[in-house]
Amino acid sequence: MQTDAPRDRRPVRALALYLLAVFVGGALLAPWLYRGVQALAESVPALESVARMPFARYVNRALMLTALIGLPWFIRGAGIRGWRDAGVPAGGIRWKAFAASFALGFVSLAAVCVIALAAGGRTLKPRGAGDLAGEFLGVLATALIVAVIEELLFRGAIYGGLRRAMRWPAALALSSAVYAIVHFMGRPENPPTVDWLSGLRVLPTMLAGMTALHTLVPAFLSLTLAGVILGLAYQWTGDLSASVGIHAGWIFWLKFYGFATASVPGADEWFWGTRKLVDGWLAFVAIVVVLTAIVMAKRRMEGRMKVGANEGRGG
């Protein structure tokens, strides 16, 4: 009887160590970032708004910075031979795939925004045309940058590494859960004072929402399903062009929605969502529609390949 070849267990060990280093290291780094910004803001007026950020945001940024710094070590520890094996296309991004995927992600959540506004679930904030245009461009640039970084991390490195240790559906589920947990972090109240261990104390409270049903469902389901969709886009296309596109389209609305809209008294936020957008059932439905679209696209592509193969044999 033929048995499966033994799988590489290095990615699992590397991921466990990487996540431990990111969460502990990021939590310990956060107070240093906080103190540094507070000191610089006294002489650099442009940093005053940054200095007023809640401490939890410093923890979040410190986690991201630690994750980026440690990413090359994780890639090597997971046995990934290079960036090409992490989903980076050899000839650069495939722009046609990126553009089509960006449109899919953008339109899916744009539809949620339009429906919520039309049905009275949200209302527009009084913003000037100049403010909207400036925010639009800024959010678009942020969406593109964040999408590239996060797809390299979650799909290229983490999912790509886990595929070496287990079957790809299991790797997809695990990496999507990690993605959802990281993005599920809330913003608790500021600690009375910030000392060098404040990050370690605040970090568990940032995940407190996972114990409440109304915040866990549907937000965590939506984030996990989003991770699955992005992983499938990578799995089925062979590189990160499509997943970066979908992700960028989503990030745009996740950020622009809170800037452009406001809550409506009495509206059901469990259905419509808050300024976060992703924590409402309507956004979950939109994400399911995206999943259906990419599954149908995959089947059409397989059908065309099958027809082409039959025509080749017939010729």
Side-chain angles (χ1 to χ4, degrees):
M1 179 182 298
Q2 190 175 17
T3 59
D4 291 337
R7 293 184 178 271
D8 187 355
R9 296 300 176 187
R10 287 179 298 170
V12 176
R13 293 193 296 269
L15 178 60
L17 292 173
Y18 178 66
L19 292 178
L20 178 64
V22 167
F23 281 101
V24 175
L28 291 174
L29 176 62
W32 291 87
L33 289 180
Y34 177 84
R35 292 288 181 87
V37 171
Q38 304 305 311
L40 287 173
E42 296 178 0
S43 56
V44 183
L47 290 178
E48 290 180 359
S49 61
V50 180
R52 292 193 297 269
M53 290 194 314
F55 179 68
R57 292 193 68 180
Y58 284 92
V59 176
N60 189 286
R61 298 299 185 269
L63 293 175
M64 181 178 293
L65 179 59
T66 308
L68 290 176
I69 292 173
L71 184 57
W73 282 272
F74 169 70
I75 287 176
R76 285 199 293 269
I80 299 175
R81 290 183 294 272
W83 290 109
R84 185 173 181 179
D85 287 343
V88 179
I93 193 168
R94 295 186 297 114
W95 291 107
K96 185 176 180 179
F98 168 82
S101 302
F102 178 83
L104 176 61
F106 186 93
V107 171
S108 65
L109 291 190
V112 173
C113 299
V114 170
I115 293 172
L117 290 170
R122 299 282 294 181
T123 186
L124 286 173
K125 290 180 180 177
R127 303 283 192 184
D131 291 338
L132 288 172
E135 186 71 9
F136 182 96
L137 294 175
V139 168
L140 181 60
T142 299
L144 294 172
I145 294 170
V146 173
V148 170
I149 293 172
E150 292 197 352
E151 287 310 296
L152 279 173
L153 173 59
F154 290 104
R155 255 58 63 181
I158 294 179
Y159 171 59
L162 289 175
R163 282 190 307 182
R164 301 167 61 86
M166 58 189 72
R167 296 183 184 278
W168 75 262
L172 179 64
L174 181 56
S175 62
S176 299
V178 171
Y179 171 78
I181 290 171
V182 170
H183 286 80
F184 198 72
M185 291 183 174
R187 295 178 184 174
E189 294 183 2
N190 279 335
T193 59
V194 175
D195 57 40
W196 306 119
L197 296 178
S198 292
L200 291 174
R201 288 192 288 267
V202 167
L203 186 58
T205 67
M206 294 173 67
L207 293 172
M210 296 190 70
T211 62
L213 180 62
H214 72 283
T215 55
L216 185 63
V217 179
F220 189 78
L221 291 178
S222 295
L223 289 167
T224 303
L225 184 58
V228 169
I229 290 170
L230 296 170
L232 288 175
Y234 175 32
Q235 176 70 25
W236 289 343
T237 62
D239 64 59
L240 295 174
S241 299
S243 63
V244 169
I246 297 172
H247 201 163
W250 282 341
I251 291 174
F252 174 87
W253 282 112
L254 293 178
K255 294 187 175 297
F256 194 73
Y257 188 69
F259 174 82
T261 71
S263 60
V264 173
D268 186 0
E269 290 187 339
W270 208 26
F271 179 77
W272 299 112
T274 65
R275 67 188 309 276
K276 297 178 181 179
L277 181 62
V278 75
D279 55 357
W281 280 109
L282 185 60
F284 177 79
V285 172
I287 294 172
V288 171
V289 171
V290 173
L291 175 61
T292 303
I294 68 168
V295 170
M296 292 176 62
K298 174 71 161 56
R299 289 179 176 175
R300 285 198 300 269
M301 182 177 67
E302 290 176 340
R304 288 196 297 267
M305 293 175 62
K306 188 176 295 184
V307 169
N310 290 336
E311 289 178 349
R313 285 195 296 269

mmCIF file of all heavy atoms in Angstrom, residues 103-144:
data_model
loop_
_atom_site.group_PDB
_atom_site.id
_atom_site.type_symbol
_atom_site.label_atom_id
_atom_site.label_comp_id
_atom_site.label_asym_id
_atom_site.label_seq_id
_atom_site.Cartn_x
_atom_site.Cartn_y
_atom_site.Cartn_z
ATOM 1 N N ALA A 103 -11.878 45.286 -8.767
ATOM 2 C CA ALA A 103 -13.250 45.683 -9.076
ATOM 3 C C ALA A 103 -14.254 44.818 -8.319
ATOM 4 O O ALA A 103 -15.260 45.320 -7.806
ATOM 5 C CB ALA A 103 -13.494 45.584 -10.582
ATOM 6 N N LEU A 104 -13.978 43.521 -8.231
ATOM 7 C CA LEU A 104 -14.876 42.614 -7.509
ATOM 8 C C LEU A 104 -14.963 42.995 -6.038
ATOM 9 O O LEU A 104 -16.062 43.109 -5.474
ATOM 10 C CB LEU A 104 -14.383 41.172 -7.663
ATOM 11 C CG LEU A 104 -15.171 40.100 -6.884
ATOM 12 C CD1 LEU A 104 -16.618 40.057 -7.347
ATOM 13 C CD2 LEU A 104 -14.505 38.735 -7.059
ATOM 14 N N GLY A 105 -13.807 43.189 -5.382
ATOM 15 C CA GLY A 105 -13.816 43.565 -3.977
ATOM 16 C C GLY A 105 -14.437 44.938 -3.751
ATOM 17 O O GLY A 105 -15.223 45.131 -2.823
ATOM 18 N N PHE A 106 -14.096 45.888 -4.609
ATOM 19 C CA PHE A 106 -14.597 47.258 -4.473
ATOM 20 C C PHE A 106 -16.115 47.310 -4.619
ATOM 21 O O PHE A 106 -16.818 47.886 -3.788
ATOM 22 C CB PHE A 106 -13.925 48.134 -5.529
ATOM 23 C CG PHE A 106 -14.244 49.605 -5.404
ATOM 24 C CD1 PHE A 106 -13.406 50.444 -4.684
ATOM 25 C CD2 PHE A 106 -15.362 50.151 -6.011
ATOM 26 C CE1 PHE A 106 -13.687 51.808 -4.569
ATOM 27 C CE2 PHE A 106 -15.660 51.498 -5.903
ATOM 28 C CZ PHE A 106 -14.824 52.336 -5.184
ATOM 29 N N VAL A 107 -16.622 46.694 -5.676
ATOM 30 C CA VAL A 107 -18.060 46.761 -5.958
ATOM 31 C C VAL A 107 -18.869 46.019 -4.893
ATOM 32 O O VAL A 107 -19.960 46.455 -4.514
ATOM 33 C CB VAL A 107 -18.359 46.191 -7.365
ATOM 34 C CG1 VAL A 107 -19.858 46.037 -7.588
ATOM 35 C CG2 VAL A 107 -17.762 47.112 -8.431
ATOM 36 N N SER A 108 -18.328 44.918 -4.377
ATOM 37 C CA SER A 108 -19.089 44.130 -3.406
ATOM 38 C C SER A 108 -19.407 44.939 -2.150
ATOM 39 O O SER A 108 -20.544 44.912 -1.656
ATOM 40 C CB SER A 108 -18.317 42.854 -3.042
ATOM 41 O OG SER A 108 -17.094 43.161 -2.374
ATOM 42 N N LEU A 109 -18.431 45.668 -1.618
ATOM 43 C CA LEU A 109 -18.698 46.457 -0.418
ATOM 44 C C LEU A 109 -19.290 47.825 -0.745
ATOM 45 O O LEU A 109 -19.960 48.423 0.093
ATOM 46 C CB LEU A 109 -17.429 46.613 0.417
ATOM 47 C CG LEU A 109 -16.939 45.326 1.092
ATOM 48 C CD1 LEU A 109 -15.821 45.625 2.082
ATOM 49 C CD2 LEU A 109 -18.073 44.587 1.805
ATOM 50 N N ALA A 110 -19.061 48.320 -1.966
ATOM 51 C CA ALA A 110 -19.745 49.543 -2.387
ATOM 52 C C ALA A 110 -21.249 49.307 -2.403
ATOM 53 O O ALA A 110 -22.040 50.189 -2.024
ATOM 54 C CB ALA A 110 -19.258 49.976 -3.765
ATOM 55 N N ALA A 111 -21.666 48.113 -2.819
ATOM 56 C CA ALA A 111 -23.090 47.767 -2.824
ATOM 57 C C ALA A 111 -23.660 47.785 -1.410
ATOM 58 O O ALA A 111 -24.782 48.238 -1.185
ATOM 59 C CB ALA A 111 -23.288 46.388 -3.455
ATOM 60 N N VAL A 112 -22.880 47.301 -0.442
ATOM 61 C CA VAL A 112 -23.318 47.335 0.956
ATOM 62 C C VAL A 112 -23.530 48.778 1.395
ATOM 63 O O VAL A 112 -24.534 49.110 2.050
ATOM 64 C CB VAL A 112 -22.290 46.638 1.867
ATOM 65 C CG1 VAL A 112 -22.655 46.819 3.343
ATOM 66 C CG2 VAL A 112 -22.197 45.161 1.522
ATOM 67 N N CYS A 113 -22.600 49.652 1.037
ATOM 68 C CA CYS A 113 -22.707 51.071 1.405
ATOM 69 C C CYS A 113 -23.956 51.701 0.804
ATOM 70 O O CYS A 113 -24.708 52.415 1.491
ATOM 71 C CB CYS A 113 -21.473 51.827 0.941
ATOM 72 S SG CYS A 113 -19.936 51.245 1.663
ATOM 73 N N VAL A 114 -24.182 51.452 -0.472
ATOM 74 C CA VAL A 114 -25.337 52.042 -1.159
ATOM 75 C C VAL A 114 -26.640 51.547 -0.538
ATOM 76 O O VAL A 114 -27.568 52.328 -0.271
ATOM 77 C CB VAL A 114 -25.288 51.716 -2.662
ATOM 78 C CG1 VAL A 114 -26.593 52.109 -3.352
ATOM 79 C CG2 VAL A 114 -24.116 52.426 -3.322
ATOM 80 N N ILE A 115 -26.743 50.254 -0.290
ATOM 81 C CA ILE A 115 -27.962 49.685 0.300
ATOM 82 C C ILE A 115 -28.197 50.243 1.703
ATOM 83 O O ILE A 115 -29.321 50.611 2.064
ATOM 84 C CB ILE A 115 -27.865 48.148 0.331
ATOM 85 C CG1 ILE A 115 -27.872 47.590 -1.090
ATOM 86 C CG2 ILE A 115 -29.022 47.544 1.134
ATOM 87 C CD1 ILE A 115 -27.576 46.092 -1.168
ATOM 88 N N ALA A 116 -27.125 50.313 2.507
ATOM 89 C CA ALA A 116 -27.267 50.826 3.874
ATOM 90 C C ALA A 116 -27.732 52.279 3.878
ATOM 91 O O ALA A 116 -28.586 52.671 4.685
ATOM 92 C CB ALA A 116 -25.945 50.688 4.624
ATOM 93 N N LEU A 117 -27.197 53.085 2.974
ATOM 94 C CA LEU A 117 -27.591 54.493 2.903
ATOM 95 C C LEU A 117 -29.019 54.637 2.376
ATOM 96 O O LEU A 117 -29.812 55.421 2.898
ATOM 97 C CB LEU A 117 -26.622 55.265 2.002
ATOM 98 C CG LEU A 117 -25.211 55.476 2.559
ATOM 99 C CD1 LEU A 117 -24.294 56.030 1.476
ATOM 100 C CD2 LEU A 117 -25.239 56.425 3.761
ATOM 101 N N ALA A 118 -29.353 53.870 1.345
ATOM 102 C CA ALA A 118 -30.686 53.972 0.742
ATOM 103 C C ALA A 118 -31.777 53.502 1.698
ATOM 104 O O ALA A 118 -32.887 54.044 1.700
ATOM 105 C CB ALA A 118 -30.729 53.152 -0.553
ATOM 106 N N ALA A 119 -31.459 52.492 2.515
ATOM 107 C CA ALA A 119 -32.462 51.929 3.422
ATOM 108 C C ALA A 119 -32.478 52.612 4.785
ATOM 109 O O ALA A 119 -33.286 52.243 5.648
ATOM 110 C CB ALA A 119 -32.210 50.434 3.597
ATOM 111 N N GLY A 120 -31.622 53.584 5.006
ATOM 112 C CA GLY A 120 -31.616 54.299 6.270
ATOM 113 C C GLY A 120 -30.828 53.624 7.372
ATOM 114 O O GLY A 120 -30.946 54.003 8.547
ATOM 115 N N GLY A 121 -30.003 52.636 7.023
ATOM 116 C CA GLY A 121 -29.170 51.991 8.029
ATOM 117 C C GLY A 121 -27.976 52.839 8.430
ATOM 118 O O GLY A 121 -27.456 52.706 9.546
ATOM 119 N N ARG A 122 -27.520 53.702 7.537
ATOM 120 C CA ARG A 122 -26.453 54.672 7.792
ATOM 121 C C ARG A 122 -26.839 55.978 7.121
ATOM 122 O O ARG A 122 -27.757 56.020 6.283
ATOM 123 C CB ARG A 122 -25.115 54.182 7.230
ATOM 124 C CG ARG A 122 -24.600 52.893 7.808
ATOM 125 C CD ARG A 122 -23.959 53.046 9.167
ATOM 126 N NE ARG A 122 -22.729 53.831 9.118
ATOM 127 C CZ ARG A 122 -21.983 54.075 10.220
ATOM 128 N NH1 ARG A 122 -22.360 53.618 11.401
ATOM 129 N NH2 ARG A 122 -20.864 54.778 10.121
ATOM 130 N N THR A 123 -26.149 57.042 7.464
ATOM 131 C CA THR A 123 -26.394 58.329 6.824
ATOM 132 C C THR A 123 -25.058 58.980 6.490
ATOM 133 O O THR A 123 -24.038 58.692 7.123
ATOM 134 C CB THR A 123 -27.213 59.263 7.740
ATOM 135 O OG1 THR A 123 -27.552 60.444 7.017
ATOM 136 C CG2 THR A 123 -26.411 59.659 8.983
ATOM 137 N N LEU A 124 -25.059 59.847 5.476
ATOM 138 C CA LEU A 124 -23.833 60.520 5.071
ATOM 139 C C LEU A 124 -23.463 61.604 6.068
ATOM 140 O O LEU A 124 -24.322 62.336 6.558
ATOM 141 C CB LEU A 124 -23.993 61.133 3.683
ATOM 142 C CG LEU A 124 -23.988 60.171 2.489
ATOM 143 C CD1 LEU A 124 -24.335 60.930 1.215
ATOM 144 C CD2 LEU A 124 -22.630 59.498 2.353
ATOM 145 N N LYS A 125 -22.178 61.716 6.339
ATOM 146 C CA LYS A 125 -21.687 62.811 7.157
ATOM 147 C C LYS A 125 -21.583 64.062 6.290
ATOM 148 O O LYS A 125 -21.358 63.963 5.074
ATOM 149 C CB LYS A 125 -20.302 62.474 7.722
ATOM 150 C CG LYS A 125 -20.298 61.382 8.776
ATOM 151 C CD LYS A 125 -18.880 61.120 9.259
ATOM 152 C CE LYS A 125 -18.857 60.024 10.318
ATOM 153 N NZ LYS A 125 -17.466 59.709 10.763
ATOM 154 N N PRO A 126 -21.731 65.236 6.871
ATOM 155 C CA PRO A 126 -21.591 66.481 6.084
ATOM 156 C C PRO A 126 -20.126 66.752 5.759
ATOM 157 O O PRO A 126 -19.401 67.383 6.532
ATOM 158 C CB PRO A 126 -22.171 67.553 7.020
ATOM 159 C CG PRO A 126 -21.989 66.994 8.403
ATOM 160 C CD PRO A 126 -22.113 65.500 8.270
ATOM 161 N N ARG A 127 -19.697 66.251 4.634
ATOM 162 C CA ARG A 127 -18.304 66.431 4.200
ATOM 163 C C ARG A 127 -18.272 67.251 2.917
ATOM 164 O O ARG A 127 -19.124 67.088 2.034
ATOM 165 C CB ARG A 127 -17.647 65.078 3.932
ATOM 166 C CG ARG A 127 -17.652 64.111 5.100
ATOM 167 C CD ARG A 127 -16.606 64.472 6.121
ATOM 168 N NE ARG A 127 -16.413 63.406 7.104
ATOM 169 C CZ ARG A 127 -15.614 63.493 8.150
ATOM 170 N NH1 ARG A 127 -14.921 64.594 8.356
ATOM 171 N NH2 ARG A 127 -15.505 62.492 9.005
ATOM 172 N N GLY A 128 -17.266 68.093 2.775
ATOM 173 C CA GLY A 128 -17.089 68.854 1.556
ATOM 174 C C GLY A 128 -16.471 68.006 0.458
ATOM 175 O O GLY A 128 -15.857 66.968 0.721
ATOM 176 N N ALA A 129 -16.616 68.470 -0.783
ATOM 177 C CA ALA A 129 -16.078 67.720 -1.921
ATOM 178 C C ALA A 129 -14.566 67.580 -1.816
ATOM 179 O O ALA A 129 -13.999 66.530 -2.150
ATOM 180 C CB ALA A 129 -16.466 68.409 -3.233
ATOM 181 N N GLY A 130 -13.901 68.635 -1.359
ATOM 182 C CA GLY A 130 -12.444 68.575 -1.216
ATOM 183 C C GLY A 130 -12.016 67.555 -0.178
ATOM 184 O O GLY A 130 -11.046 66.806 -0.383
ATOM 185 N N ASP A 131 -12.742 67.514 0.947
ATOM 186 C CA ASP A 131 -12.430 66.534 1.990
ATOM 187 C C ASP A 131 -12.624 65.113 1.484
ATOM 188 O O ASP A 131 -11.806 64.227 1.741
ATOM 189 C CB ASP A 131 -13.310 66.771 3.217
ATOM 190 C CG ASP A 131 -12.958 68.048 3.949
ATOM 191 O OD1 ASP A 131 -11.821 68.527 3.783
ATOM 192 O OD2 ASP A 131 -13.822 68.564 4.681
ATOM 193 N N LEU A 132 -13.725 64.892 0.769
ATOM 194 C CA LEU A 132 -14.008 63.555 0.248
ATOM 195 C C LEU A 132 -12.966 63.131 -0.773
ATOM 196 O O LEU A 132 -12.507 61.981 -0.764
ATOM 197 C CB LEU A 132 -15.402 63.529 -0.383
ATOM 198 C CG LEU A 132 -16.584 63.579 0.581
ATOM 199 C CD1 LEU A 132 -17.896 63.741 -0.176
ATOM 200 C CD2 LEU A 132 -16.635 62.310 1.438
ATOM 201 N N ALA A 133 -12.577 64.053 -1.656
ATOM 202 C CA ALA A 133 -11.583 63.723 -2.681
ATOM 203 C C ALA A 133 -10.226 63.424 -2.049
ATOM 204 O O ALA A 133 -9.549 62.457 -2.418
ATOM 205 C CB ALA A 133 -11.455 64.867 -3.683
ATOM 206 N N GLY A 134 -9.824 64.230 -1.081
ATOM 207 C CA GLY A 134 -8.548 63.996 -0.419
ATOM 208 C C GLY A 134 -8.537 62.680 0.342
ATOM 209 O O GLY A 134 -7.555 61.930 0.284
ATOM 210 N N GLU A 135 -9.622 62.409 1.052
ATOM 211 C CA GLU A 135 -9.700 61.147 1.793
ATOM 212 C C GLU A 135 -9.752 59.957 0.840
ATOM 213 O O GLU A 135 -9.151 58.917 1.112
ATOM 214 C CB GLU A 135 -10.953 61.155 2.679
ATOM 215 C CG GLU A 135 -11.084 59.954 3.603
ATOM 216 C CD GLU A 135 -10.074 59.952 4.735
ATOM 217 O OE1 GLU A 135 -9.370 60.971 4.914
ATOM 218 O OE2 GLU A 135 -9.989 58.929 5.447
ATOM 219 N N PHE A 136 -10.468 60.118 -0.283
ATOM 220 C CA PHE A 136 -10.555 59.043 -1.275
ATOM 221 C C PHE A 136 -9.167 58.630 -1.745
ATOM 222 O O PHE A 136 -8.832 57.443 -1.763
ATOM 223 C CB PHE A 136 -11.412 59.508 -2.457
ATOM 224 C CG PHE A 136 -11.610 58.472 -3.524
ATOM 225 C CD1 PHE A 136 -12.743 57.684 -3.535
ATOM 226 C CD2 PHE A 136 -10.662 58.281 -4.533
ATOM 227 C CE1 PHE A 136 -12.944 56.723 -4.519
ATOM 228 C CE2 PHE A 136 -10.839 57.322 -5.507
ATOM 229 C CZ PHE A 136 -11.987 56.539 -5.500
ATOM 230 N N LEU A 137 -8.352 59.606 -2.121
ATOM 231 C CA LEU A 137 -7.014 59.301 -2.622
ATOM 232 C C LEU A 137 -6.127 58.725 -1.527
ATOM 233 O O LEU A 137 -5.365 57.777 -1.757
ATOM 234 C CB LEU A 137 -6.381 60.563 -3.215
ATOM 235 C CG LEU A 137 -7.059 61.124 -4.468
ATOM 236 C CD1 LEU A 137 -6.405 62.434 -4.886
ATOM 237 C CD2 LEU A 137 -7.011 60.115 -5.609
ATOM 238 N N GLY A 138 -6.227 59.281 -0.323
ATOM 239 C CA GLY A 138 -5.421 58.777 0.778
ATOM 240 C C GLY A 138 -5.782 57.355 1.157
ATOM 241 O O GLY A 138 -4.904 56.511 1.378
ATOM 242 N N VAL A 139 -7.077 57.076 1.215
ATOM 243 C CA VAL A 139 -7.539 55.728 1.563
ATOM 244 C C VAL A 139 -7.174 54.742 0.461
ATOM 245 O O VAL A 139 -6.797 53.597 0.737
ATOM 246 C CB VAL A 139 -9.055 55.731 1.820
ATOM 247 C CG1 VAL A 139 -9.604 54.306 1.890
ATOM 248 C CG2 VAL A 139 -9.371 56.469 3.115
ATOM 249 N N LEU A 140 -7.267 55.166 -0.799
ATOM 250 C CA LEU A 140 -6.909 54.284 -1.907
ATOM 251 C C LEU A 140 -5.439 53.881 -1.823
ATOM 252 O O LEU A 140 -5.090 52.702 -1.986
ATOM 253 C CB LEU A 140 -7.196 54.975 -3.234
ATOM 254 C CG LEU A 140 -6.900 54.165 -4.498
ATOM 255 C CD1 LEU A 140 -7.731 52.887 -4.535
ATOM 256 C CD2 LEU A 140 -7.168 55.004 -5.750
ATOM 257 N N ALA A 141 -4.566 54.848 -1.557
ATOM 258 C CA ALA A 141 -3.137 54.542 -1.424
ATOM 259 C C ALA A 141 -2.896 53.608 -0.248
ATOM 260 O O ALA A 141 -2.123 52.643 -0.346
ATOM 261 C CB ALA A 141 -2.344 55.834 -1.250
ATOM 262 N N THR A 142 -3.565 53.880 0.886
ATOM 263 C CA THR A 142 -3.423 53.017 2.058
ATOM 264 C C THR A 142 -3.892 51.602 1.757
ATOM 265 O O THR A 142 -3.249 50.621 2.152
ATOM 266 C CB THR A 142 -4.227 53.589 3.236
ATOM 267 O OG1 THR A 142 -3.727 54.888 3.563
ATOM 268 C CG2 THR A 142 -4.132 52.688 4.452
ATOM 269 N N ALA A 143 -5.014 51.497 1.053
ATOM 270 C CA ALA A 143 -5.572 50.179 0.732
ATOM 271 C C ALA A 143 -4.598 49.353 -0.103
ATOM 272 O O ALA A 143 -4.423 48.155 0.144
ATOM 273 C CB ALA A 143 -6.897 50.348 -0.020
ATOM 274 N N LEU A 144 -3.968 49.988 -1.074
ATOM 275 C CA LEU A 144 -3.029 49.266 -1.937
ATOM 276 C C LEU A 144 -1.807 48.792 -1.144
ATOM 277 O O LEU A 144 -1.367 47.647 -1.282
ATOM 278 C CB LEU A 144 -2.600 50.161 -3.093
ATOM 279 C CG LEU A 144 -3.705 50.523 -4.093
ATOM 280 C CD1 LEU A 144 -3.210 51.571 -5.081
ATOM 281 C CD2 LEU A 144 -4.193 49.283 -4.843
#
